[in-house]
């Protein structure tokens, strides 16, 4: 199903701050945030009401592909503009003065038809003596472009770099992952395990690659893994899956926001196909509505397959909101923002602890009393009591985790396997629980409510990162839950390793 982008949504296509003077005239950029399209015709551009005809416009698609708009229009075949790609409009017109300018672009894109983008942007003064990092318009991942940046870095820092410049893969594989590629940061990878996992998706023994520069980290996780294995391994369960984008709609008053929220609840079945029209993978599960003052915050929740899905759900929500803006006819929507900060992307938050972001996964195990005392020199009672004491400390501090150090294992695994490391801010949240069983053993579990992982997309396909995922058997369709269970098992091993020394101090 095709969605119709509203004028308010079309404003978001324009790249703010891209307006600038060139030796030939003026240029600005538009980024495709809708769906895969084919630009069929460029009608005209207006700058401050001055008409710029197609004969004065050239469209730069990147990688040296520059098409005069008049030729594009005459050919009639169009040019592809994939989702996430930008197109730069070059105008052979008078240069602009500093300050604000009104920009209007009219063009035709298949399958949407005629589109019109109207925005304001500014021309600002660029310092002429600013140092510029070298780049190549033709191929910025070529050896020549990379070596130019390496020489620039050495001259600028007045240092010679040897290890930074050594790598063993084709730099062209980094397109979409790293700009201005200059070299690599070689992070040591140590092995822990194998860890025996009794999951619904991960079953068996897994060798764990941990990328870290922190001494004793690998040894600590290895120690915890050994204890878990002696007790039959770790049981892991994925109990939730949701990735969010959270737009906000602004009204004149609270009643307008309230009525809008009620309307959204009744229209979910019409909104769902609009959101899912942008992807064969993203599936809209539900929409949470949160009201404050005259603001209506909508938290769209999706499943995203093997991808982490932040970009995917952004496109899907963009489409859904375009339909909403077009079809809501009650109180006027005064402002709309695609992201309100309620998805709390790359930030720890209580809403993600309660409602899930990414995978919600539990790792649990029963540690035999004799093994715990023999291997860790602590009793189940000591660990359980220390858990109660540390819970008070976590509560007082407002921490998002009452455990010891889940971020250590998660970060090391993320770096090794090509995850977005910034997601550790959310993924490190954890709820640790322990109790002494009637047999005198220790039951230990950790719930990770917002574990954001992927086995497809992002950095997971890069050279060493993909090798580490292959080591875990987590490459290919349908492996993301398997990976999530392994990560959770490793986290529990780390808690089991570090908690006994802390508990033993208090006796």
């Amino acid at each position: 199903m095709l969605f119709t982008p509203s004028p308010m949504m079309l404003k978001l296509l324009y790249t703010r701050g891209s307006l600038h003077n060139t030796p030939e005239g003026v240029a600005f950029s538009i980024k495709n945030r809708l769906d895969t399209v084919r630009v069929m015709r460029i009608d005209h551009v207006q700058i401050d009401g001055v008409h710029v005809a197609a004969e004065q416009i050239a469209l730069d698609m990147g990688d040296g592909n520059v098409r005069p708009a008049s030729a594009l229009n005459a050919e009639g075949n169009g040019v592809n503009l994939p989702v996430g790609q930008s197109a730069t409009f070059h105008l052979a017109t008078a240069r602009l003065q500093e300050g604000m300018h009104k920009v209007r672009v009219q063009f035709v894109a298949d399958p949407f038809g005629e589109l019109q983008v109207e925005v304001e942007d500014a021309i600002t003064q660029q310092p002429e003596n600013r140092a510029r990092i070298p780049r190549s318009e033709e191929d910025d991942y070529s050896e020549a472009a990379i070596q130019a940046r390496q020489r620039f870095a050495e001259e600028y820092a007045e240092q010679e770099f040897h290890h930074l410049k050594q790598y063993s893969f084709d730099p062209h594989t980094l397109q979409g992952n790293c700009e201005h590629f200059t070299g690599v940061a070689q992070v040591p990878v140590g092995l822990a395990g194998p860890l025996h996992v009794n999951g619904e998706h991960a079953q068996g023994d897994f060798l764990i690659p941990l990328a870290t520069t922190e001494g004793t980290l690998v040894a600590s996780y290895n120690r915890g893994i050994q204890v878990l294995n002696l007790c039959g391994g770790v049981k892991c369960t994925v109990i939730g899956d949701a990735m969010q984008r959270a737009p906000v709609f602004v009204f004149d008053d609270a009643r307008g926001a309230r009525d809008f929220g009620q309307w959204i609840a009744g229209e979910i079945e019409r909104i769902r196909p609009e959101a899912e029209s942008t992807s064969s993978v993203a599936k809209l599960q539900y929409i949470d509505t949160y009201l404050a003052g005259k603001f209506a915050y909508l938290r769209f929740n999706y499943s995203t397959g093997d991808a982490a899905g932040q970009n995917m759900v952004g496109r899907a929500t963009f489409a859904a909101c375009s339909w909403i803006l077009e079809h809501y006819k009650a109180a006027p929507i005064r402002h709309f923002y695609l992201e309100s900060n309620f998805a709390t992307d790359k930030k720890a938050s209580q809403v993600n602890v309660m409602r899930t972001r990414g995978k919600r996964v539990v790792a649990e195990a029963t540690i035999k009393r004799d093994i715990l005392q023999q291997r860790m020199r602590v009793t189940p009672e000591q660990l359980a009591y220390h858990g109660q004491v540390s819970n008070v400390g976590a509560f007082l501090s407002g921490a998002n985790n009452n455990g010891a150090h889940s971020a250590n294992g998660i970060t090391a695994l993320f770096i090794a396997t090509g995850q977005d490391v910034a997601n550790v801010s959310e993924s490190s949240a954890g709820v640790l629980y322990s109790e002494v069983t009637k047999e005198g053993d220790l039951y230990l579990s950790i719930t990770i409510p917002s574990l954001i992982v992927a086995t497809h997309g992002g950095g997971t396909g890069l050279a060493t990162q993909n090798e580490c995922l292959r080591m875990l058997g987590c490459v290919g369709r349908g492996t993301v839950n398997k990976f999530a269970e392994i990560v959770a098992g490793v986290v529990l091993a780390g808690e089991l390793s570090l908690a006994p020394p802390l508990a033993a101090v208090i006796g």
Side-chain angles (χ1 to χ4, degrees), residues 201-214:
H201 306 276
Q203 299 173 354
D205 298 323
F206 299 92
L207 200 57
I208 309 300
L210 298 171
T212 183
T213 58
E214 181 181 346

mmCIF file of all heavy atoms in Angstrom, residues 201-214:
data_model
loop_
_atom_site.group_PDB
_atom_site.id
_atom_site.type_symbol
_atom_site.label_atom_id
_atom_site.label_comp_id
_atom_site.label_asym_id
_atom_site.label_seq_id
_atom_site.Cartn_x
_atom_site.Cartn_y
_atom_site.Cartn_z
ATOM 1 N N HIS A 201 16.047 -20.406 21.424
ATOM 2 C CA HIS A 201 16.673 -20.123 20.133
ATOM 3 C C HIS A 201 18.155 -20.490 20.136
ATOM 4 O O HIS A 201 18.679 -20.922 19.115
ATOM 5 C CB HIS A 201 16.510 -18.641 19.790
ATOM 6 C CG HIS A 201 15.090 -18.174 19.835
ATOM 7 N ND1 HIS A 201 14.225 -18.322 18.776
ATOM 8 C CD2 HIS A 201 14.380 -17.566 20.825
ATOM 9 C CE1 HIS A 201 13.039 -17.827 19.100
ATOM 10 N NE2 HIS A 201 13.109 -17.359 20.332
ATOM 11 N N ALA A 202 18.820 -20.289 21.259
ATOM 12 C CA ALA A 202 20.237 -20.647 21.409
ATOM 13 C C ALA A 202 20.330 -21.896 22.273
ATOM 14 O O ALA A 202 19.972 -21.867 23.453
ATOM 15 C CB ALA A 202 21.010 -19.497 22.050
ATOM 16 N N GLN A 203 20.776 -22.987 21.664
ATOM 17 C CA GLN A 203 20.880 -24.251 22.379
ATOM 18 C C GLN A 203 22.232 -24.876 22.090
ATOM 19 O O GLN A 203 22.569 -25.119 20.932
ATOM 20 C CB GLN A 203 19.755 -25.200 21.966
ATOM 21 C CG GLN A 203 18.364 -24.672 22.265
ATOM 22 C CD GLN A 203 17.264 -25.545 21.690
ATOM 23 O OE1 GLN A 203 17.519 -26.504 20.963
ATOM 24 N NE2 GLN A 203 16.019 -25.202 22.003
ATOM 25 N N GLY A 204 23.009 -25.084 23.147
ATOM 26 C CA GLY A 204 24.318 -25.695 22.969
ATOM 27 C C GLY A 204 25.411 -24.889 23.628
ATOM 28 O O GLY A 204 25.159 -24.050 24.502
ATOM 29 N N ASP A 205 26.645 -25.139 23.194
ATOM 30 C CA ASP A 205 27.824 -24.507 23.776
ATOM 31 C C ASP A 205 28.374 -23.460 22.805
ATOM 32 O O ASP A 205 28.597 -23.758 21.622
ATOM 33 C CB ASP A 205 28.899 -25.563 24.068
ATOM 34 C CG ASP A 205 28.424 -26.597 25.078
ATOM 35 O OD1 ASP A 205 27.694 -26.206 26.017
ATOM 36 O OD2 ASP A 205 28.751 -27.791 24.916
ATOM 37 N N PHE A 206 28.622 -22.275 23.338
ATOM 38 C CA PHE A 206 29.028 -21.151 22.497
ATOM 39 C C PHE A 206 30.316 -20.519 23.030
ATOM 40 O O PHE A 206 30.407 -20.164 24.213
ATOM 41 C CB PHE A 206 27.915 -20.100 22.454
ATOM 42 C CG PHE A 206 26.625 -20.613 21.878
ATOM 43 C CD1 PHE A 206 25.641 -21.141 22.704
ATOM 44 C CD2 PHE A 206 26.406 -20.591 20.508
ATOM 45 C CE1 PHE A 206 24.466 -21.638 22.176
ATOM 46 C CE2 PHE A 206 25.223 -21.084 19.972
ATOM 47 C CZ PHE A 206 24.252 -21.612 20.812
ATOM 48 N N LEU A 207 31.283 -20.392 22.121
ATOM 49 C CA LEU A 207 32.520 -19.689 22.428
ATOM 50 C C LEU A 207 32.246 -18.194 22.324
ATOM 51 O O LEU A 207 31.696 -17.726 21.325
ATOM 52 C CB LEU A 207 33.603 -20.106 21.437
ATOM 53 C CG LEU A 207 35.063 -19.874 21.821
ATOM 54 C CD1 LEU A 207 35.411 -20.574 23.131
ATOM 55 C CD2 LEU A 207 35.972 -20.361 20.692
ATOM 56 N N ILE A 208 32.617 -17.423 23.336
ATOM 57 C CA ILE A 208 32.206 -16.024 23.451
ATOM 58 C C ILE A 208 33.371 -15.081 23.130
ATOM 59 O O ILE A 208 34.352 -15.017 23.889
ATOM 60 C CB ILE A 208 31.680 -15.710 24.868
ATOM 61 C CG1 ILE A 208 30.612 -16.723 25.289
ATOM 62 C CG2 ILE A 208 31.152 -14.287 24.920
ATOM 63 C CD1 ILE A 208 29.397 -16.772 24.409
ATOM 64 N N PRO A 209 33.288 -14.312 22.031
ATOM 65 C CA PRO A 209 34.334 -13.319 21.730
ATOM 66 C C PRO A 209 34.033 -11.998 22.436
ATOM 67 O O PRO A 209 32.957 -11.420 22.276
ATOM 68 C CB PRO A 209 34.225 -13.165 20.207
ATOM 69 C CG PRO A 209 32.774 -13.428 19.913
ATOM 70 C CD PRO A 209 32.274 -14.396 20.958
ATOM 71 N N LEU A 210 34.982 -11.517 23.202
ATOM 72 C CA LEU A 210 34.819 -10.273 23.960
ATOM 73 C C LEU A 210 35.912 -9.294 23.552
ATOM 74 O O LEU A 210 37.105 -9.558 23.737
ATOM 75 C CB LEU A 210 34.883 -10.542 25.462
ATOM 76 C CG LEU A 210 33.801 -11.468 26.031
ATOM 77 C CD1 LEU A 210 34.099 -11.831 27.488
ATOM 78 C CD2 LEU A 210 32.430 -10.828 25.905
ATOM 79 N N ALA A 211 35.524 -8.166 22.976
ATOM 80 C CA ALA A 211 36.481 -7.139 22.555
ATOM 81 C C ALA A 211 36.600 -6.112 23.666
ATOM 82 O O ALA A 211 35.638 -5.412 23.990
ATOM 83 C CB ALA A 211 36.004 -6.471 21.266
ATOM 84 N N THR A 212 37.782 -6.012 24.255
ATOM 85 C CA THR A 212 37.950 -5.139 25.415
ATOM 86 C C THR A 212 39.411 -4.771 25.618
ATOM 87 O O THR A 212 40.308 -5.458 25.127
ATOM 88 C CB THR A 212 37.419 -5.833 26.690
ATOM 89 O OG1 THR A 212 37.519 -4.955 27.800
ATOM 90 C CG2 THR A 212 38.206 -7.102 26.986
ATOM 91 N N THR A 213 39.626 -3.688 26.320
ATOM 92 C CA THR A 213 40.973 -3.321 26.776
ATOM 93 C C THR A 213 41.046 -3.321 28.290
ATOM 94 O O THR A 213 42.030 -2.858 28.865
ATOM 95 C CB THR A 213 41.351 -1.917 26.249
ATOM 96 O OG1 THR A 213 40.384 -0.962 26.706
ATOM 97 C CG2 THR A 213 41.412 -1.896 24.725
ATOM 98 N N GLU A 214 39.994 -3.815 28.945
ATOM 99 C CA GLU A 214 39.954 -3.834 30.416
ATOM 100 C C GLU A 214 40.502 -5.151 30.935
ATOM 101 O O GLU A 214 39.924 -6.222 30.707
ATOM 102 C CB GLU A 214 38.518 -3.642 30.914
ATOM 103 C CG GLU A 214 38.404 -3.640 32.431
ATOM 104 C CD GLU A 214 36.978 -3.477 32.923
ATOM 105 O OE1 GLU A 214 36.103 -3.104 32.104
ATOM 106 O OE2 GLU A 214 36.734 -3.721 34.115
#
